[in-house]
Structures are given as C-alpha cells and as structure tokens.
Amino acid sequence: MEKSVKKVAYITGGTKGIGRGIAYALLQNNYRIALSGRNYEMAKEIAQSLGSSDNVLPIQSDVKNFDDEQNAINKIIEHFGQLDVVIANAGIGIFKPVEDLKIEDWHTMIDTNLTGTFYTLKASIAELKKTKGYFISIASLAGINFFATASGYNASKFGVVGFTQAAMLDLRDSDIKITTILPGSVSTYFNNNEPSEKDAWKIQPEDIGELVVDILKLNPRVLPSKIEIRPSKTK
C-alpha cells in the first residue's frame, strides 16, 4: 500500500500566540508546517523548537507585501511539494480614541489584518485548488462587536469577516473550503499583554489550535463557515 503523504499547513504570524498554538497542534496531528513572521530569526528559532526541518519550515514574510506572501507560497511548494491548509493569523491591534489614532496606525491595522488576509489567500488559491485545500482566517469577536478605542481595529476585523465570508462563497465550488474563526479574549502577547496566571480564565492559544484540528477533521461535505469562540466565564 502506498504510504500517505503528510499534509502541509502554512501559518502567518506563526511565531507566537495563536499562530504558535496552531502550529503545535497541527504538528501533533501529523501535519508538516510552514510558519512565517516579519522577523526571520524569530521564525527560525520557533521552528527549531518545534521540530526538524523535514516537518517545520520558517519563512520571513510581511503579509502587508504581496510579493512576500507569493514568495512564501513558492518556498513552501519548493520545500514540501504541496499546500493543503492556510491559516491567515497575522494581526495587530492599536487601541486609541479615533481623534488620537494616527494615519499610520490606521494603515498598519488595515494593511496587516485585512489586506494581509487578502494577500495570503490570493497567493495561495492556485495551490489550494490542487489539493482541495482549506483556508482559515483568524478574525475576532471585534469583527462583529464594536467598542470604544477600537475604530481602526474594528474596521479591519469587520473587513476580515466580510472578506473571508464572501471569498468562501466564491471558492466553495472550486473545492476550497474557508472558515472564519472569531476568538474572544485570548491569553497572548497581543496589545502588549504579558501572559500570566491572571489570564488563566481566557482562551489559551492551544485551545484555538485544538479547534483548527477539529475543523480539519470534519467530513469534507461539511463547511463551518463562521465560528465564534469565547471564554466560558468573564473572569
């Protein structure tokens, strides 16, 4: 019997937090992974801590740059020969009242969170068609619930939800499945947080990793298009 080939997943923003949690969960479930970040040395360090070069590929990529994302996909195909799953996780939040929000703050969030998700999908469509693959975007409950000091962040995440849900309809008949995950409070370094015992009530990165694995195990006829996930308690 021919030995099955391990599937390959690409995770943007894979060096810490949710991205790293997803990477670990997929590795534990027999995936090979590529993880990217703006800092190659950090990506390389995390990749080495997770496993061998046969299973983990570090990539430098800034999702705000389409050429970076296209080069990332090319490197994945060159190294692994295929691409089955893409996790668009890279994101940033800058929280200020709108009158204090700088022009560059706005563009950083829109370009990273929204345009970056578009670039990652756009660069990977051709390869995902070949494998009847899966694209998962990590949005936020801030993509359906607005709050003060988050005008730019809300705009970017509302955009991610709208973009990926529409793309899901565009691509479902091309055998590419798309799911948008909307996490609530997660214990990560996001927004200058330092994870500690005070965050024990929050969703943990490994919880999102477990969710991604569960989604990928579903029968191919099933498509959970949008999933909200929040802590079971408020503190």
Side-chain angles (χ1 to χ4, degrees):
M1 181 181 294
E2 184 178 348
K3 186 178 180 180
S4 62
V5 178
K6 290 182 180 180
K7 289 187 175 182
V8 176
Y10 171 43
I11 306 161
T12 69
T15 60
K16 56 186 177 181
I18 291 174
R20 188 173 180 179
I22 294 171
Y24 181 78
L26 289 174
L27 281 168
Q28 295 299 108
N29 282 269
N30 213 33
Y31 277 78
R32 296 174 290 168
I33 64 166
L35 56 86
S36 71
R38 288 175 295 172
N39 185 316
Y40 176 71
E41 290 304 318
M42 181 179 292
K44 183 178 178 181
E45 180 181 334
I46 297 303
Q48 290 174 340
S49 73
L50 290 171
S52 70
S53 60
D54 291 338
N55 291 318
V56 188
L57 174 68
I59 297 174
Q60 187 283 325
S61 182
D62 184 342
V63 297
K64 299 193 298 297
N65 185 316
F66 178 73
D67 288 342
D68 274 13
E69 283 300 275
Q70 188 63 71
N71 289 336
I73 300 302
N74 293 342
K75 288 177 182 177
I76 291 166
I77 299 305
E78 180 181 347
H79 189 82
F80 291 127
Q82 67 190 69
L83 179 62
D84 302 274
V85 178
V86 176
I87 315 291
N89 168 70
I92 188 169
I94 301 170
F95 300 95
K96 302 174 183 177
V98 66
E99 63 183 329
D100 298 326
L101 194 68
K102 298 176 182 177
I103 299 298
E104 54 266 34
D105 295 337
W106 171 271
H107 283 293
T108 295
M109 287 185 284
I110 296 296
D111 294 350
T112 301
N113 301 348
L114 178 53
T115 304
T117 299
F118 167 62
Y119 285 167
T120 301
L121 177 58
K122 188 73 171 176
S124 61
I125 286 175
E127 295 301 331
L128 291 176
K129 281 186 175 181
K130 295 176 185 177
T131 56
K132 298 183 179 180
Y134 217 121
F135 184 89
I136 297 175
S137 66
I138 306 299
S140 169
L141 287 179
I144 55 174
N145 301 299
F146 52 85
F147 57 95
T149 75
S151 57
Y153 188 68
N154 282 146
S156 70
K157 290 299 187 177
F158 268 71
V160 169
V161 174
F163 166 69
T164 50
Q165 290 293 281
M168 176 269 295
L169 298 176
D170 288 341
L171 294 171
R172 63 196 298 195
D173 290 328
S174 296
D175 289 318
I176 296 176
K177 289 181 279 295
I178 296 181
T179 295
T180 308
I181 298 176
L182 290 72
S185 298
V186 183
S187 176
T188 69
Y189 292 91
F190 186 77
N191 194 28
N192 299 315
N193 182 59
E194 188 73 28
S196 66
E197 284 301 314
K198 73 181 187 305
D199 297 320
W201 64 277
K202 296 180 180 178
I203 301 165
Q204 302 300 307
E206 57 266 31
D207 299 330
I208 305 296
E210 183 178 348
L211 174 60
V212 168
V213 169
D214 288 344
I215 290 169
L216 296 174
K217 286 181 178 179
L218 289 171
N219 191 293
R221 67 174 172 263
V222 177
L223 176 57
S225 57
K226 185 172 69 173
I227 299 174
E228 297 179 23
I229 177 170
R230 47 177 51 82
S232 59
K233 297 183 179 180
T234 56
K235 290 292 181 185

